[in-house]
Amino acid sequence: MLGIGRREFITLLGGAAAWPLAARAQRPAKMLRVGTVAGTPKSSPQWVAFERRMGELGYQEGKNFSFDFLQAASADEYEVLYRKLAAQAPDVILAIGPEIGLRSALAATRTLPIVMIAIDYDPLARGYVTSLARPSGNVTGVVFQQIELAAKRIQLIKDNFPDRPTATMFWDELSADQWKAARDTAATLGLQLFGIELHESPYDYEAAFGKVPLDHRGMLIIPTSPSLFRDRARLADFALKHRILSMFVFREWVDAGGLLCYGPSITALFARVAEFVDRIARGAVPSDLPIEQPTKFEMVVNLKTAKAIGVDLPTAILLRADEVIE
């Protein structure tokens, strides 16, 4: 079962303790070329964390490191952009976020090393890798466990807000698996969960909310996808405007004004991916590097938002929170 760590940082599996020793060795002399396709801008917190960690490992963009960052406006663009990227034969390709990222990267190359950050899907269940401990082919990286976490968030809501028998979840194409896990768990636990699928980014949250039954408008659950993460400030403002309890995935939503979140640190995991890239730059191949999963998860609560929407949060939530924003 996924547990809640208290005031703990992310710890990862797969021999992580030995890696910092390698990080202190001399940098490779040649230019390291890394490329990715992403649905979020390069200025997003997770990419800032990735580039910061690359710098700490001795890589300076323009000197011994180049980062080819291609931004996809929609899921339809991933395949063509990864083909374009693979044609340039970078040293490492990053396959980020939704399943379409890894699927498109593998369609473009079966030889170039791929470091995945599987946020919205389970690559083992989908057959992209045959083992976490001994990855197959040219893929390694980090798996966020979002499907299990989507179910865990429903459990947290049910346990801590027993007087709230209904909730609504906004979801989109790239977060469909999270919606299904949440829906199935809610049915098992007796939480009445109403789902609204969002179409045509930028999403019209007001129009979506207008389709929600009146008795389901007290709590909003948001999964993660490139579009939903990009809209984190809009979603936090939306929930605040309508005085809705809101549950999110990452702390970045809560920093923007959302009520609470439960999940791993996205910035810590992107920083960890930089260490995968460094290992490959030193000669490791993906099959040498076990795929890692977060073992610590953080709950962050925005008490300022709770007061603004007139909600007294349960003591159990405040005691379990790793951080309370006041």
mmCIF file with all atom_site columns, all heavy atoms in Angstrom, residues 237-254:
data_model
loop_
_atom_site.group_PDB
_atom_site.id
_atom_site.type_symbol
_atom_site.label_atom_id
_atom_site.label_alt_id
_atom_site.label_comp_id
_atom_site.label_asym_id
_atom_site.label_entity_id
_atom_site.label_seq_id
_atom_site.pdbx_PDB_ins_code
_atom_site.Cartn_x
_atom_site.Cartn_y
_atom_site.Cartn_z
_atom_site.occupancy
_atom_site.B_iso_or_equiv
_atom_site.pdbx_formal_charge
_atom_site.auth_seq_id
_atom_site.auth_comp_id
_atom_site.auth_asym_id
_atom_site.auth_atom_id
_atom_site.pdbx_PDB_model_num
ATOM 1   N N   . ASP A 1 237 ? -7.467  28.984 -9.100  1.00 0.00 ? 237 ASP A N   1
ATOM 2   C CA  . ASP A 1 237 ? -8.341  30.162 -9.057  1.00 0.00 ? 237 ASP A CA  1
ATOM 3   C C   . ASP A 1 237 ? -9.810  29.772 -9.250  1.00 0.00 ? 237 ASP A C   1
ATOM 4   O O   . ASP A 1 237 ? -10.706 30.332 -8.608  1.00 0.00 ? 237 ASP A O   1
ATOM 5   C CB  . ASP A 1 237 ? -7.930  31.166 -10.137 1.00 0.00 ? 237 ASP A CB  1
ATOM 6   C CG  . ASP A 1 237 ? -6.601  31.848 -9.826  1.00 0.00 ? 237 ASP A CG  1
ATOM 7   O OD1 . ASP A 1 237 ? -6.157  31.777 -8.664  1.00 0.00 ? 237 ASP A OD1 1
ATOM 8   O OD2 . ASP A 1 237 ? -6.010  32.438 -10.754 1.00 0.00 ? 237 ASP A OD2 1
ATOM 9   N N   . PHE A 1 238 ? -10.034 28.812 -10.142 1.00 0.00 ? 238 PHE A N   1
ATOM 10  C CA  . PHE A 1 238 ? -11.397 28.340 -10.402 1.00 0.00 ? 238 PHE A CA  1
ATOM 11  C C   . PHE A 1 238 ? -12.013 27.739 -9.136  1.00 0.00 ? 238 PHE A C   1
ATOM 12  O O   . PHE A 1 238 ? -13.153 28.063 -8.763  1.00 0.00 ? 238 PHE A O   1
ATOM 13  C CB  . PHE A 1 238 ? -11.365 27.292 -11.523 1.00 0.00 ? 238 PHE A CB  1
ATOM 14  C CG  . PHE A 1 238 ? -12.664 26.586 -11.745 1.00 0.00 ? 238 PHE A CG  1
ATOM 15  C CD1 . PHE A 1 238 ? -13.645 27.140 -12.541 1.00 0.00 ? 238 PHE A CD1 1
ATOM 16  C CD2 . PHE A 1 238 ? -12.907 25.354 -11.151 1.00 0.00 ? 238 PHE A CD2 1
ATOM 17  C CE1 . PHE A 1 238 ? -14.862 26.495 -12.738 1.00 0.00 ? 238 PHE A CE1 1
ATOM 18  C CE2 . PHE A 1 238 ? -14.106 24.692 -11.345 1.00 0.00 ? 238 PHE A CE2 1
ATOM 19  C CZ  . PHE A 1 238 ? -15.087 25.265 -12.141 1.00 0.00 ? 238 PHE A CZ  1
ATOM 20  N N   . ALA A 1 239 ? -11.264 26.875 -8.462  1.00 0.00 ? 239 ALA A N   1
ATOM 21  C CA  . ALA A 1 239 ? -11.776 26.246 -7.238  1.00 0.00 ? 239 ALA A CA  1
ATOM 22  C C   . ALA A 1 239 ? -12.011 27.280 -6.146  1.00 0.00 ? 239 ALA A C   1
ATOM 23  O O   . ALA A 1 239 ? -12.989 27.202 -5.395  1.00 0.00 ? 239 ALA A O   1
ATOM 24  C CB  . ALA A 1 239 ? -10.802 25.171 -6.767  1.00 0.00 ? 239 ALA A CB  1
ATOM 25  N N   . LEU A 1 240 ? -11.123 28.258 -6.068  1.00 0.00 ? 240 LEU A N   1
ATOM 26  C CA  . LEU A 1 240 ? -11.270 29.315 -5.058  1.00 0.00 ? 240 LEU A CA  1
ATOM 27  C C   . LEU A 1 240 ? -12.507 30.172 -5.350  1.00 0.00 ? 240 LEU A C   1
ATOM 28  O O   . LEU A 1 240 ? -13.290 30.485 -4.442  1.00 0.00 ? 240 LEU A O   1
ATOM 29  C CB  . LEU A 1 240 ? -10.005 30.172 -5.033  1.00 0.00 ? 240 LEU A CB  1
ATOM 30  C CG  . LEU A 1 240 ? -9.923  31.243 -3.949  1.00 0.00 ? 240 LEU A CG  1
ATOM 31  C CD1 . LEU A 1 240 ? -9.951  30.611 -2.567  1.00 0.00 ? 240 LEU A CD1 1
ATOM 32  C CD2 . LEU A 1 240 ? -8.650  32.069 -4.129  1.00 0.00 ? 240 LEU A CD2 1
ATOM 33  N N   . LYS A 1 241 ? -12.687 30.509 -6.607  1.00 0.00 ? 241 LYS A N   1
ATOM 34  C CA  . LYS A 1 241 ? -13.840 31.328 -7.007  1.00 0.00 ? 241 LYS A CA  1
ATOM 35  C C   . LYS A 1 241 ? -15.152 30.649 -6.635  1.00 0.00 ? 241 LYS A C   1
ATOM 36  O O   . LYS A 1 241 ? -16.091 31.304 -6.158  1.00 0.00 ? 241 LYS A O   1
ATOM 37  C CB  . LYS A 1 241 ? -13.777 31.579 -8.516  1.00 0.00 ? 241 LYS A CB  1
ATOM 38  C CG  . LYS A 1 241 ? -15.018 32.255 -9.084  1.00 0.00 ? 241 LYS A CG  1
ATOM 39  C CD  . LYS A 1 241 ? -14.939 32.330 -10.608 1.00 0.00 ? 241 LYS A CD  1
ATOM 40  C CE  . LYS A 1 241 ? -16.243 32.838 -11.202 1.00 0.00 ? 241 LYS A CE  1
ATOM 41  N NZ  . LYS A 1 241 ? -16.196 32.856 -12.692 1.00 0.00 ? 241 LYS A NZ  1
ATOM 42  N N   . HIS A 1 242 ? -15.226 29.336 -6.847  1.00 0.00 ? 242 HIS A N   1
ATOM 43  C CA  . HIS A 1 242 ? -16.465 28.601 -6.583  1.00 0.00 ? 242 HIS A CA  1
ATOM 44  C C   . HIS A 1 242 ? -16.509 28.018 -5.171  1.00 0.00 ? 242 HIS A C   1
ATOM 45  O O   . HIS A 1 242 ? -17.459 27.303 -4.848  1.00 0.00 ? 242 HIS A O   1
ATOM 46  C CB  . HIS A 1 242 ? -16.638 27.493 -7.627  1.00 0.00 ? 242 HIS A CB  1
ATOM 47  C CG  . HIS A 1 242 ? -16.949 27.999 -9.003  1.00 0.00 ? 242 HIS A CG  1
ATOM 48  N ND1 . HIS A 1 242 ? -18.217 28.395 -9.371  1.00 0.00 ? 242 HIS A ND1 1
ATOM 49  C CD2 . HIS A 1 242 ? -16.151 28.209 -10.087 1.00 0.00 ? 242 HIS A CD2 1
ATOM 50  C CE1 . HIS A 1 242 ? -18.196 28.800 -10.640 1.00 0.00 ? 242 HIS A CE1 1
ATOM 51  N NE2 . HIS A 1 242 ? -16.949 28.705 -11.095 1.00 0.00 ? 242 HIS A NE2 1
ATOM 52  N N   . ARG A 1 243 ? -15.481 28.321 -4.366  1.00 0.00 ? 243 ARG A N   1
ATOM 53  C CA  . ARG A 1 243 ? -15.428 27.872 -2.966  1.00 0.00 ? 243 ARG A CA  1
ATOM 54  C C   . ARG A 1 243 ? -15.581 26.350 -2.871  1.00 0.00 ? 243 ARG A C   1
ATOM 55  O O   . ARG A 1 243 ? -16.390 25.810 -2.114  1.00 0.00 ? 243 ARG A O   1
ATOM 56  C CB  . ARG A 1 243 ? -16.506 28.581 -2.140  1.00 0.00 ? 243 ARG A CB  1
ATOM 57  C CG  . ARG A 1 243 ? -16.333 30.089 -2.132  1.00 0.00 ? 243 ARG A CG  1
ATOM 58  C CD  . ARG A 1 243 ? -17.496 30.785 -1.453  1.00 0.00 ? 243 ARG A CD  1
ATOM 59  N NE  . ARG A 1 243 ? -17.556 30.470 -0.017  1.00 0.00 ? 243 ARG A NE  1
ATOM 60  C CZ  . ARG A 1 243 ? -16.875 31.107 0.931   1.00 0.00 ? 243 ARG A CZ  1
ATOM 61  N NH1 . ARG A 1 243 ? -16.046 32.100 0.598   1.00 0.00 ? 243 ARG A NH1 1
ATOM 62  N NH2 . ARG A 1 243 ? -17.021 30.780 2.201   1.00 0.00 ? 243 ARG A NH2 1
ATOM 63  N N   . ILE A 1 244 ? -14.745 25.664 -3.672  1.00 0.00 ? 244 ILE A N   1
ATOM 64  C CA  . ILE A 1 244 ? -14.785 24.200 -3.741  1.00 0.00 ? 244 ILE A CA  1
ATOM 65  C C   . ILE A 1 244 ? -13.555 23.621 -3.035  1.00 0.00 ? 244 ILE A C   1
ATOM 66  O O   . ILE A 1 244 ? -12.447 24.128 -3.195  1.00 0.00 ? 244 ILE A O   1
ATOM 67  C CB  . ILE A 1 244 ? -14.754 23.719 -5.206  1.00 0.00 ? 244 ILE A CB  1
ATOM 68  C CG1 . ILE A 1 244 ? -15.772 24.470 -6.066  1.00 0.00 ? 244 ILE A CG1 1
ATOM 69  C CG2 . ILE A 1 244 ? -14.988 22.221 -5.299  1.00 0.00 ? 244 ILE A CG2 1
ATOM 70  C CD1 . ILE A 1 244 ? -15.603 24.197 -7.544  1.00 0.00 ? 244 ILE A CD1 1
ATOM 71  N N   . LEU A 1 245 ? -13.742 22.540 -2.294  1.00 0.00 ? 245 LEU A N   1
ATOM 72  C CA  . LEU A 1 245 ? -12.603 21.767 -1.822  1.00 0.00 ? 245 LEU A CA  1
ATOM 73  C C   . LEU A 1 245 ? -11.921 21.159 -3.042  1.00 0.00 ? 245 LEU A C   1
ATOM 74  O O   . LEU A 1 245 ? -12.592 20.614 -3.929  1.00 0.00 ? 245 LEU A O   1
ATOM 75  C CB  . LEU A 1 245 ? -13.050 20.633 -0.894  1.00 0.00 ? 245 LEU A CB  1
ATOM 76  C CG  . LEU A 1 245 ? -13.263 20.984 0.580   1.00 0.00 ? 245 LEU A CG  1
ATOM 77  C CD1 . LEU A 1 245 ? -14.567 21.741 0.755   1.00 0.00 ? 245 LEU A CD1 1
ATOM 78  C CD2 . LEU A 1 245 ? -13.276 19.720 1.430   1.00 0.00 ? 245 LEU A CD2 1
ATOM 79  N N   . SER A 1 246 ? -10.603 21.242 -3.107  1.00 0.00 ? 246 SER A N   1
ATOM 80  C CA  . SER A 1 246 ? -9.900  20.760 -4.299  1.00 0.00 ? 246 SER A CA  1
ATOM 81  C C   . SER A 1 246 ? -8.731  19.862 -3.913  1.00 0.00 ? 246 SER A C   1
ATOM 82  O O   . SER A 1 246 ? -7.941  20.188 -3.023  1.00 0.00 ? 246 SER A O   1
ATOM 83  C CB  . SER A 1 246 ? -9.400  21.940 -5.142  1.00 0.00 ? 246 SER A CB  1
ATOM 84  O OG  . SER A 1 246 ? -8.643  22.856 -4.353  1.00 0.00 ? 246 SER A OG  1
ATOM 85  N N   . MET A 1 247 ? -8.631  18.718 -4.580  1.00 0.00 ? 247 MET A N   1
ATOM 86  C CA  . MET A 1 247 ? -7.542  17.755 -4.381  1.00 0.00 ? 247 MET A CA  1
ATOM 87  C C   . MET A 1 247 ? -6.735  17.661 -5.668  1.00 0.00 ? 247 MET A C   1
ATOM 88  O O   . MET A 1 247 ? -7.296  17.420 -6.743  1.00 0.00 ? 247 MET A O   1
ATOM 89  C CB  . MET A 1 247 ? -8.103  16.390 -3.996  1.00 0.00 ? 247 MET A CB  1
ATOM 90  C CG  . MET A 1 247 ? -7.102  15.247 -4.058  1.00 0.00 ? 247 MET A CG  1
ATOM 91  S SD  . MET A 1 247 ? -5.797  15.331 -2.793  1.00 0.00 ? 247 MET A SD  1
ATOM 92  C CE  . MET A 1 247 ? -6.577  14.410 -1.457  1.00 0.00 ? 247 MET A CE  1
ATOM 93  N N   . PHE A 1 248 ? -5.418  17.849 -5.554  1.00 0.00 ? 248 PHE A N   1
ATOM 94  C CA  . PHE A 1 248 ? -4.544  17.842 -6.720  1.00 0.00 ? 248 PHE A CA  1
ATOM 95  C C   . PHE A 1 248 ? -3.444  16.788 -6.561  1.00 0.00 ? 248 PHE A C   1
ATOM 96  O O   . PHE A 1 248 ? -3.368  16.091 -5.550  1.00 0.00 ? 248 PHE A O   1
ATOM 97  C CB  . PHE A 1 248 ? -3.927  19.231 -6.909  1.00 0.00 ? 248 PHE A CB  1
ATOM 98  C CG  . PHE A 1 248 ? -4.947  20.307 -7.180  1.00 0.00 ? 248 PHE A CG  1
ATOM 99  C CD1 . PHE A 1 248 ? -5.369  21.159 -6.170  1.00 0.00 ? 248 PHE A CD1 1
ATOM 100 C CD2 . PHE A 1 248 ? -5.485  20.478 -8.441  1.00 0.00 ? 248 PHE A CD2 1
ATOM 101 C CE1 . PHE A 1 248 ? -6.309  22.159 -6.402  1.00 0.00 ? 248 PHE A CE1 1
ATOM 102 C CE2 . PHE A 1 248 ? -6.433  21.466 -8.698  1.00 0.00 ? 248 PHE A CE2 1
ATOM 103 C CZ  . PHE A 1 248 ? -6.834  22.308 -7.670  1.00 0.00 ? 248 PHE A CZ  1
ATOM 104 N N   . VAL A 1 249 ? -2.575  16.719 -7.559  1.00 0.00 ? 249 VAL A N   1
ATOM 105 C CA  . VAL A 1 249 ? -1.534  15.694 -7.607  1.00 0.00 ? 249 VAL A CA  1
ATOM 106 C C   . VAL A 1 249 ? -0.221  16.189 -7.014  1.00 0.00 ? 249 VAL A C   1
ATOM 107 O O   . VAL A 1 249 ? 0.387   15.515 -6.174  1.00 0.00 ? 249 VAL A O   1
ATOM 108 C CB  . VAL A 1 249 ? -1.325  15.220 -9.059  1.00 0.00 ? 249 VAL A CB  1
ATOM 109 C CG1 . VAL A 1 249 ? -0.142  14.264 -9.151  1.00 0.00 ? 249 VAL A CG1 1
ATOM 110 C CG2 . VAL A 1 249 ? -2.599  14.553 -9.582  1.00 0.00 ? 249 VAL A CG2 1
ATOM 111 N N   . PHE A 1 250 ? 0.236   17.355 -7.469  1.00 0.00 ? 250 PHE A N   1
ATOM 112 C CA  . PHE A 1 250 ? 1.551   17.872 -7.069  1.00 0.00 ? 250 PHE A CA  1
ATOM 113 C C   . PHE A 1 250 ? 1.412   19.163 -6.273  1.00 0.00 ? 250 PHE A C   1
ATOM 114 O O   . PHE A 1 250 ? 0.434   19.899 -6.413  1.00 0.00 ? 250 PHE A O   1
ATOM 115 C CB  . PHE A 1 250 ? 2.426   18.133 -8.302  1.00 0.00 ? 250 PHE A CB  1
ATOM 116 C CG  . PHE A 1 250 ? 2.680   16.910 -9.140  1.00 0.00 ? 250 PHE A CG  1
ATOM 117 C CD1 . PHE A 1 250 ? 2.340   16.887 -10.481 1.00 0.00 ? 250 PHE A CD1 1
ATOM 118 C CD2 . PHE A 1 250 ? 3.267   15.779 -8.586  1.00 0.00 ? 250 PHE A CD2 1
ATOM 119 C CE1 . PHE A 1 250 ? 2.579   15.771 -11.265 1.00 0.00 ? 250 PHE A CE1 1
ATOM 120 C CE2 . PHE A 1 250 ? 3.502   14.653 -9.356  1.00 0.00 ? 250 PHE A CE2 1
ATOM 121 C CZ  . PHE A 1 250 ? 3.163   14.652 -10.704 1.00 0.00 ? 250 PHE A CZ  1
ATOM 122 N N   . ARG A 1 251 ? 2.442   19.471 -5.506  1.00 0.00 ? 251 ARG A N   1
ATOM 123 C CA  . ARG A 1 251 ? 2.409   20.657 -4.658  1.00 0.00 ? 251 ARG A CA  1
ATOM 124 C C   . ARG A 1 251 ? 2.345   21.949 -5.466  1.00 0.00 ? 251 ARG A C   1
ATOM 125 O O   . ARG A 1 251 ? 1.927   22.987 -4.945  1.00 0.00 ? 251 ARG A O   1
ATOM 126 C CB  . ARG A 1 251 ? 3.611   20.691 -3.716  1.00 0.00 ? 251 ARG A CB  1
ATOM 127 C CG  . ARG A 1 251 ? 4.955   20.957 -4.384  1.00 0.00 ? 251 ARG A CG  1
ATOM 128 C CD  . ARG A 1 251 ? 5.988   21.439 -3.360  1.00 0.00 ? 251 ARG A CD  1
ATOM 129 N NE  . ARG A 1 251 ? 5.563   22.675 -2.742  1.00 0.00 ? 251 ARG A NE  1
ATOM 130 C CZ  . ARG A 1 251 ? 5.704   22.945 -1.436  1.00 0.00 ? 251 ARG A CZ  1
ATOM 131 N NH1 . ARG A 1 251 ? 6.236   22.047 -0.643  1.00 0.00 ? 251 ARG A NH1 1
ATOM 132 N NH2 . ARG A 1 251 ? 5.308   24.098 -0.957  1.00 0.00 ? 251 ARG A NH2 1
ATOM 133 N N   . GLU A 1 252 ? 2.773   21.914 -6.731  1.00 0.00 ? 252 GLU A N   1
ATOM 134 C CA  . GLU A 1 252 ? 2.735   23.129 -7.544  1.00 0.00 ? 252 GLU A CA  1
ATOM 135 C C   . GLU A 1 252 ? 1.317   23.682 -7.659  1.00 0.00 ? 252 GLU A C   1
ATOM 136 O O   . GLU A 1 252 ? 1.122   24.894 -7.768  1.00 0.00 ? 252 GLU A O   1
ATOM 137 C CB  . GLU A 1 252 ? 3.329   22.849 -8.929  1.00 0.00 ? 252 GLU A CB  1
ATOM 138 C CG  . GLU A 1 252 ? 4.856   22.775 -8.966  1.00 0.00 ? 252 GLU A CG  1
ATOM 139 C CD  . GLU A 1 252 ? 5.429   21.531 -8.316  1.00 0.00 ? 252 GLU A CD  1
ATOM 140 O OE1 . GLU A 1 252 ? 4.685   20.542 -8.132  1.00 0.00 ? 252 GLU A OE1 1
ATOM 141 O OE2 . GLU A 1 252 ? 6.637   21.520 -8.008  1.00 0.00 ? 252 GLU A OE2 1
ATOM 142 N N   . TRP A 1 253 ? 0.301   22.807 -7.648  1.00 0.00 ? 253 TRP A N   1
ATOM 143 C CA  . TRP A 1 253 ? -1.083  23.276 -7.646  1.00 0.00 ? 253 TRP A CA  1
ATOM 144 C C   . TRP A 1 253 ? -1.410  23.987 -6.329  1.00 0.00 ? 253 TRP A C   1
ATOM 145 O O   . TRP A 1 253 ? -2.095  24.999 -6.314  1.00 0.00 ? 253 TRP A O   1
ATOM 146 C CB  . TRP A 1 253 ? -2.046  22.104 -7.820  1.00 0.00 ? 253 TRP A CB  1
ATOM 147 C CG  . TRP A 1 253 ? -2.422  21.768 -9.232  1.00 0.00 ? 253 TRP A CG  1
ATOM 148 C CD1 . TRP A 1 253 ? -3.237  22.481 -10.054 1.00 0.00 ? 253 TRP A CD1 1
ATOM 149 C CD2 . TRP A 1 253 ? -2.029  20.621 -9.974  1.00 0.00 ? 253 TRP A CD2 1
ATOM 150 N NE1 . TRP A 1 253 ? -3.375  21.842 -11.270 1.00 0.00 ? 253 TRP A NE1 1
ATOM 151 C CE2 . TRP A 1 253 ? -2.651  20.699 -11.244 1.00 0.00 ? 253 TRP A CE2 1
ATOM 152 C CE3 . TRP A 1 253 ? -1.222  19.516 -9.695  1.00 0.00 ? 253 TRP A CE3 1
ATOM 153 C CZ2 . TRP A 1 253 ? -2.487  19.719 -12.228 1.00 0.00 ? 253 TRP A CZ2 1
ATOM 154 C CZ3 . TRP A 1 253 ? -1.050  18.550 -10.664 1.00 0.00 ? 253 TRP A CZ3 1
ATOM 155 C CH2 . TRP A 1 253 ? -1.665  18.660 -11.917 1.00 0.00 ? 253 TRP A CH2 1
ATOM 156 N N   . VAL A 1 254 ? -0.920  23.444 -5.237  1.00 0.00 ? 254 VAL A N   1
ATOM 157 C CA  . VAL A 1 254 ? -1.200  24.030 -3.924  1.00 0.00 ? 254 VAL A CA  1
ATOM 158 C C   . VAL A 1 254 ? -0.442  25.346 -3.769  1.00 0.00 ? 254 VAL A C   1
ATOM 159 O O   . VAL A 1 254 ? -0.952  26.307 -3.192  1.00 0.00 ? 254 VAL A O   1
ATOM 160 C CB  . VAL A 1 254 ? -0.841  23.027 -2.807  1.00 0.00 ? 254 VAL A CB  1
ATOM 161 C CG1 . VAL A 1 254 ? -1.148  23.611 -1.435  1.00 0.00 ? 254 VAL A CG1 1
ATOM 162 C CG2 . VAL A 1 254 ? -1.629  21.730 -3.005  1.00 0.00 ? 254 VAL A CG2 1
#
